[in-house]
Amino acid sequence: MNYKWSRYLRMILVFLALTTGAGVVFGYPLEGLLAGLLLYLAWTLVQSRKLYQWLANPGAGEEAPESIGLWGDIFDGLHKLHRGHLATQDRLLAQFNRIQESTNAMRDGVVMTDARGVLEWWNGSAEYLLGLKRQTDRGQPIHNLLRAPAFKAYFDQRDYREPLELNSPARPHLHLQIQISLFGEDDRLIVVKDVTRLFQLEQMRRDFVSNVSHEMRTPLTVISGYLETMVDNSDDLPARWQKALRTMAQQSSRMEALITDLLLLSKLETGEHHGAEVVVNVEAMCRQICQDARALSGEAGHEFQLDIAERHFLRGDQDQLRSAFSNLVFNAVKYTPAGGKIFVSWYTNREGAHLSVKDTGIGIDPIHIPRLTERFYRADPSRHKETGGTGLGLAIVKHVLLNHDGKLEILSRIGDGSEFICHFPRERLAEPETLPASATEAGDKV
């Protein structure tokens, strides 16, 4: 490049030297130099005009203007850059068209908006699921077209770890799952899935569990009543019949406990088991639960340690909270060997309030922790008969916490015991002085 520039410079100097020499021959050396400069300036202006016309409309002609020397190389270089730009543009356009075609082929709806929710682009599935119209809705705020308060709150909160479920505004019989992702300068990518089938199956499962549990409860109660009567009057029966009756009575009690938990879980899921929220005295509730847990421990002799912080008043459904807390403490008793320790603590910090139930039991393999709150899931199925549980306790705890804007955290390792922590937001905390007299009395009686 330096070589070419030096050559161009030498050519200009040689040209000016020739014009100056011609002026010396005719006795006008200065005029000769000036004439050479004017000729070079005129030639430069002509080449600049060619460049200006070509840049103004480079697509009109396939080839760049012809020239020699420095301007010839400039035209050739710009022409190569232009052809490279066109090739890149065609390649990007082809990729964009391919992405657009593949996105339009998706069964899930995809919508792109800016930070304020103004619609920029969407695929065909989004038109069907949300009722968007390409001719009129582009540039409109999505909140004007999707008028669900839940969606407006979900869009504005900027916490998109969990999806939102709602009915389609265009087709109410469709149940949609909406997931938002942030990209670019706070823009939104909205993915809409049709989960109607899953929603219907889940509803069918809930109805089936609820109906079957209700139908089984009455005959099972009758059977249990007769079995208890027979056990109470089994002294005159042979020993093998006495053992059979006791076993039947135990299994009948387990079935009743299972049905009770199924009904409770079904009510929690549907919102039926949601009483009036009061200010609950967590300290009194935990003390009563620990007393019941000592009775459950019996000869196992578990040691209980209770540590409750000063701010121990929580606003919520008292029956639901008692069910969740007692499930955690009773599970610790069941899965902790005799003589083990169980720590129940309540503390508050900047994030909110927390109830921790920690034991020195056998622990749980971390691989099982993500599924522990599923119905009937057990990390060790062999323990089912020993504990006599229903496998629904942690599922009940999870739904109770969801009803109280909380979440369950499980920490455990095999051989190191387990810790179950219920996290509640700060908004659920209540001050003692705000307690009405009825709520205080209710908490003290727990």
Side-chain angles (χ1 to χ4, degrees):
M1 184 62 69
N2 291 333
Y3 170 74
K4 285 188 175 182
W5 176 252
S6 300
R7 186 164 62 90
Y8 296 146
L9 187 58
R10 287 197 300 269
M11 290 176 60
I12 294 173
L13 293 176
V14 168
F15 173 74
L16 293 176
L18 290 175
T19 58
T20 303
V24 170
V25 171
F26 293 99
Y28 301 99
L30 185 60
E31 287 78 357
L33 176 61
L34 182 60
L37 291 174
L38 290 175
L39 287 174
Y40 180 74
L41 177 60
W43 184 76
T44 301
L45 289 175
V46 171
Q47 304 305 314
S48 299
R49 182 172 180 274
K50 290 181 180 179
L51 176 62
Y52 174 78
Q53 291 177 337
W54 182 62
L55 291 179
N57 191 13
E62 185 66 24
E63 299 296 331
E66 296 290 339
S67 186
I68 59 172
L70 176 63
W71 283 98
D73 289 344
I74 290 176
F75 289 147
D76 291 342
L78 289 175
H79 184 58
K80 290 180 180 179
L81 289 175
H82 178 60
R83 294 186 63 179
H85 169 71
L86 291 178
T88 302
Q89 188 178 40
D90 292 341
R91 184 171 64 254
L92 292 176
L93 183 61
Q95 292 178 352
F96 175 78
N97 291 334
R98 184 172 178 82
I99 292 173
Q100 192 172 31
E101 290 175 1
S102 62
T103 307
N104 283 323
M106 292 175 58
R107 299 184 62 182
D108 297 338
V110 180
V111 181
M112 293 174 59
T113 74
D114 64 10
R116 297 175 297 154
V118 176
L119 290 166
E120 296 179 345
W121 180 87
W122 59 87
N123 65 353
S125 296
E127 291 186 4
Y128 174 78
L129 296 174
L130 299 178
L132 301 179
K133 298 179 180 179
R134 198 170 298 275
Q135 295 79 7
T136 59
D137 292 343
R138 190 182 304 275
Q140 295 291 325
I142 192 172
H143 307 111
N144 294 348
L145 307 173
L146 195 56
R147 298 177 178 271
F151 175 78
K152 179 68 165 62
Y154 180 67
F155 186 92
D156 294 338
Q157 72 180 0
R158 297 175 55 84
D159 183 6
Y160 306 128
R161 289 173 294 181
E162 297 295 331
L164 171 70
E165 293 192 7
L166 46 76
N167 291 329
S168 168
R171 295 170 174 80
H173 65 282
L174 296 182
H175 195 76
L176 307 180
Q177 184 183 82
I178 297 177
Q179 181 77 63
I180 300 181
S181 301
L182 293 172
F183 75 98
E185 297 182 0
D186 210 22
D187 298 329
R188 265 75 165 179
L189 178 68
I190 305 174
V191 179
V192 184
K193 297 182 179 181
D194 181 3
V195 294
T196 305
R197 181 62 176 166
L198 292 176
F199 178 77
Q200 292 174 342
L201 290 174
E202 182 67 15
Q203 190 63 43
M204 290 172 58
R205 181 197 61 77
R206 292 176 181 173
D207 294 341
F208 173 78
V209 170
S210 178
N211 293 335
V212 169
S213 300
H214 276 291
E215 293 297 327
M216 291 180 62
R217 192 170 196 174
T218 300
L220 191 58
T221 301
V222 174
I223 293 173
S224 298
Y226 279 115
L227 285 173
E228 289 177 4
T229 302
M230 295 173 69
V231 169
D232 293 339
N233 299 275
S234 62
D235 295 339
D236 298 333
L237 294 176
R240 61 190 182 93
W241 286 105
Q242 293 180 13
K243 181 180 179 182
L245 286 174
R246 285 194 298 270
T247 302
M248 292 168 65
Q250 291 173 358
Q251 297 304 317
S252 176
S253 298
R254 289 184 60 186
M255 285 289 292
E256 284 186 313
L258 174 61
I259 290 175
T260 300
D261 285 350
L262 281 172
L263 289 173
L264 175 60
L265 184 58
S266 177
K267 290 178 180 179
L268 288 172
E269 291 177 335
T270 57
E272 296 178 14
H273 188 75
H274 193 75
E277 291 191 352
V278 297
V279 179
V280 179
N281 187 338
V282 176
E283 180 181 19
M285 179 179 288
C286 290
R287 290 189 185 280
Q288 182 61 52
I289 291 174
C290 287
Q291 289 180 11
D292 297 338
R294 288 190 182 93
L296 177 65
S297 174
E299 298 179 356
H302 295 101
E303 179 183 343
F304 291 84
Q305 293 186 14
L306 186 62
D307 182 17
I308 305 295
E310 291 184 2
R311 298 189 63 185
H312 54 265
F313 295 95
L314 188 71
R315 188 175 299 279
D317 186 310
Q318 187 164 280
D319 293 335
Q320 287 193 25
L321 293 173
R322 183 187 294 109
S323 176
F325 296 170
S326 59
N327 264 303
L328 294 179
V329 177
F330 294 167
N331 276 350
V333 173
K334 293 174 183 178
Y335 297 122
T336 301
K341 296 181 179 181
I342 297 172
F343 307 89
V344 180
S345 60
W346 172 269
Y347 58 95
T348 59
N349 54 23
R350 186 175 300 176
E351 286 73 27
H354 317 273
L355 176 81
S356 169
V357 179
K358 187 175 182 180
D359 60 58
T360 58
I362 58 179
I364 305 169
D365 191 332
I367 195 174
H368 297 293
I369 290 179
R371 298 191 58 192
L372 281 181
T373 56
E374 295 180 10
R375 303 169 189 84
F376 303 111
Y377 184 82
R378 287 178 171 271
D380 184 2
S382 65
R383 298 184 301 179
H384 183 85
K385 294 182 179 180
E386 297 178 9
T387 61
T390 62
L392 297 172
L394 291 180
I396 291 173
V397 172
K398 181 186 74 171
H399 281 86
V400 168
L401 293 181
L402 287 175
N403 289 343
H404 289 79
D405 310 312
K407 61 180 180 180
L408 178 65
E409 181 182 5
I410 304 174
L411 305 173
S412 184
R413 292 178 61 185
I414 294 179
D416 291 341
S418 305
E419 182 177 11
F420 294 81
I421 309 174
C422 301
H423 299 287
F424 298 94
R426 289 185 60 86
E427 293 76 15
R428 287 279 173 180
L429 282 171
E431 295 296 336
E433 58 267 21
T434 63
L435 281 170
S438 59
T440 307
E441 294 172 1
D444 291 339
K445 292 178 181 178
V446 177

